[in-house]
Amino acid sequence: MKSTRQHIDAAAPGGSGAAGGLKAFRRSLTLWFLAHRAMWLSLWLGIVWSALRGPVGLKLLPGTVRMVRALADRERAYAARWSGVDIPAVYPELPASGAERAKALRSQLLDRGNQVRRDWRWVHLHAFVGGAIALGPLALALTGVWGLWTAAMGTELPAEWGSLWFLFIPVGDPATAALAGVLGAAFLPLSVFWAAPLSLRLHARYLNLLLAPSESELLAARVEHLKSTRSDAVDSQMSEIRRIERDLHDGAQARLVAMGMTLNAAEHLLETNPDAVRELLVEARQSSTAALKELRDLVKGIHPPILADRGLADAVRSLAMICPLRTEVVIDLPSRPEPPVESAMYFAMSEILTNAAKHSGAERCWIDLRYEAGALRASVVDDGQGGADVSAGTGLRGVERRLAHFDGVLAVSSPPGGPTQMTMELPCELSSPKTTSS
């Protein structure tokens, strides 16, 4: 928590200068608006909670949980973007759909130690606490406007209203009206340059306090993630072994057996029919050539020689050269990642380029590969028809699982009509010497 606090203090919400202050002020108004949404959502949660024991409550529960999570995700995103505070979220696994999903959500709500219950508790408080924090800059600005207005009208209105006050000042003569005007004028810049950035920082701290999971919960989620990725890695390894066995059995092994039978027949015909032996030897030589080619293709599928010899940069350039799409490549790698990371990124990009060529209807493709902030990042963009969905097929799901073995992520942006952008990120260190050609 100490590092998080330092991060909050170091952040500069909205930036510096007049533009930064106004931006922070607008952001505080956005947060205040979201607090109003939380208030109405809080009322709806009360209705759903009261009906939770019956079938109506169970039917309403999945949609309600989605609304709460959407609001919480939006607030977390604003805290990360505006104040530099990353608030993690650990949501338990749920059945895909149906009554079992609703029952699982109800169980999570009744359990006090999970993210769903924490989100619901936060919504009830956010309408008041979050709203009050976000309202601060606006309240200070309105106070300043009131001070200026009392300065302008302070010598006339007290006679009609009986009394007129600005904060602790009874306004009734030119001197007190001028004092109210000076204080009011001072409140306006304070609301923009001091209160608005402070409000964003306090808002981020408050969100982190209410929404962030505990250390034990984060550790349990991490263990669960490692168990899942370990299982995927074992499954992928076994699948790869079975593929290699199948390719050897159906390809090179069959050709070598046929070559042995051909040589055996040539041995029996050596004394009686030399012409037939010559033909059999030619056939055996062709079989050995074909077997050698299949073995080379098999080895290339396991670990391409160019990747091992020249590194990821040149391997990606070779992928671009053989890709049916017109592909432009931009690479910025100061040195090489570890071989397993290189292999994971290479095969992930190969799968994405293959999918783009087969299914996207694209004509051009752009690859950007670079190392930034302790991570290997690759972006593949095509001008196809869009509509790529990780959940719709096994290809992108396989890419996602391959990256997950190294704590990597895949982000897909593919609206209907395109373009499609696949962004992959693998945290790693660059330690191996650079062997690329450029």
Side-chain angles (χ1 to χ4, degrees):
M1 294 297 293
K2 183 179 179 180
S3 60
T4 303
R5 183 184 180 86
Q6 289 172 342
H7 196 182
I8 295 171
D9 291 337
S16 58
L22 292 174
K23 186 184 293 183
F25 189 81
R26 288 196 301 269
R27 289 172 175 176
S28 68
L29 294 180
T30 301
L31 295 178
W32 187 49
F33 169 75
L34 291 179
H36 285 79
R37 292 187 59 179
M39 181 183 69
W40 292 110
L41 189 54
S42 174
L43 296 176
W44 174 247
L45 295 188
I47 297 174
V48 174
W49 183 269
S50 62
L52 203 55
R53 293 182 179 276
V56 176
L58 285 177
K59 289 184 178 179
L60 296 174
L61 192 54
T64 305
V65 170
R66 279 196 298 272
M67 288 191 292
V68 173
R69 181 169 177 176
L71 183 60
D73 285 344
R74 191 171 178 182
E75 294 274 5
R76 279 189 284 258
Y78 284 156
R81 194 186 313 162
W82 294 347
S83 302
V85 180
D86 291 321
I87 303 173
V90 180
Y91 288 96
E93 294 289 336
L94 289 170
S97 60
E100 294 300 322
R101 183 182 184 87
K103 291 178 181 177
L105 286 173
R106 183 173 62 181
S107 300
Q108 291 173 9
L109 282 176
L110 296 177
D111 181 11
R112 296 178 181 273
N114 63 77
Q115 191 70 51
V116 176
R117 175 65 177 257
R118 201 158 38 241
D119 286 356
W120 279 49
R121 183 181 58 201
W122 163 77
V123 166
H124 292 303
L125 290 174
H126 190 60
F128 305 99
V129 181
I133 294 174
L135 180 62
L138 178 61
L140 203 59
L142 292 176
T143 303
V145 172
W146 172 251
L148 294 176
W149 190 79
T150 55
M153 308 296 292
T155 56
E156 301 175 4
L157 288 181
E160 301 177 9
W161 292 5
S163 65
L164 183 65
W165 288 75
F166 175 69
L167 299 179
F168 53 88
I169 303 171
V171 180
D173 54 48
T176 54
L179 180 58
V182 170
L183 291 176
F187 275 35
L188 291 178
L190 280 177
S191 67
V192 173
F193 299 110
W194 174 74
L198 178 63
S199 173
L200 295 184
R201 285 194 290 269
L202 289 176
H203 198 271
R205 290 184 185 182
Y206 145 77
L207 287 180
N208 191 57
L209 180 65
L210 290 187
L211 290 179
S214 63
E215 292 294 334
S216 59
E217 197 173 347
L218 285 175
L219 181 60
R222 177 64 178 163
V223 171
E224 190 64 30
H225 173 72
L226 290 177
K227 287 170 61 180
S228 175
T229 55
R230 178 178 177 276
S231 176
D232 286 344
V234 171
D235 291 343
S236 299
Q237 186 179 27
M238 293 305 299
S239 176
E240 187 70 6
I241 291 174
R242 286 194 293 270
R243 183 187 69 82
I244 294 171
E245 290 176 345
R246 185 173 58 252
D247 290 348
L248 285 173
H249 182 269
D250 297 341
Q253 182 179 349
R255 293 190 180 279
L256 290 174
V257 170
M259 188 173 65
M261 295 174 64
T262 303
L263 291 174
N264 186 50
E267 183 181 4
H268 285 86
L269 295 173
L270 185 61
E271 300 294 337
T272 59
N273 192 351
D275 294 336
V277 171
R278 185 178 297 105
E279 294 178 1
L280 289 172
L281 289 176
V282 171
E283 183 180 341
R285 179 173 55 79
Q286 292 173 344
S287 294
S288 68
T289 303
L292 181 60
K293 181 179 183 303
E294 289 178 355
L295 284 174
R296 285 174 175 168
D297 291 342
L298 183 62
V299 171
K300 185 179 179 181
I302 297 172
H303 196 77
I306 190 172
L307 179 62
D309 297 339
R310 305 202 59 82
L312 182 61
D314 278 356
V316 170
R317 291 190 182 98
S318 72
L319 279 178
M321 292 176 65
I322 62 176
C323 181
L325 309 177
R326 285 189 295 156
T327 305
E328 298 178 17
V329 181
V330 176
I331 295 179
D332 183 12
L333 289 180
S335 58
R336 294 182 58 174
E338 293 299 322
V341 175
E342 279 191 326
S343 181
M345 182 60 80
Y346 173 83
F347 284 106
M349 294 189 72
S350 176
E351 178 72 25
I352 288 176
L353 288 176
T354 302
N355 286 345
K358 286 184 177 179
H359 308 300
S360 70
E363 296 180 352
R364 301 186 64 186
C365 188
W366 295 267
I367 295 175
D368 186 291
L369 176 65
R370 62 185 63 247
Y371 184 81
E372 288 180 344
L376 184 64
R377 292 191 177 92
S379 174
V380 181
V381 182
D382 67 61
D383 61 351
Q385 59 193 4
D389 186 359
V390 176
S391 61
T394 58
L396 292 179
R397 181 73 73 185
V399 171
E400 194 174 46
R401 285 200 298 267
R402 184 186 293 274
L403 300 178
H405 299 167
F406 302 90
D407 285 342
V409 294
L410 168 69
V412 179
S413 173
S414 184
T420 294
Q421 178 171 359
M422 308 275 185
T423 304
M424 296 167 285
E425 182 174 302
L426 279 174
C428 65
E429 297 292 333
L430 297 183
S431 56
S432 300
K434 185 179 181 182
T435 59
T436 182
S437 58
S438 61

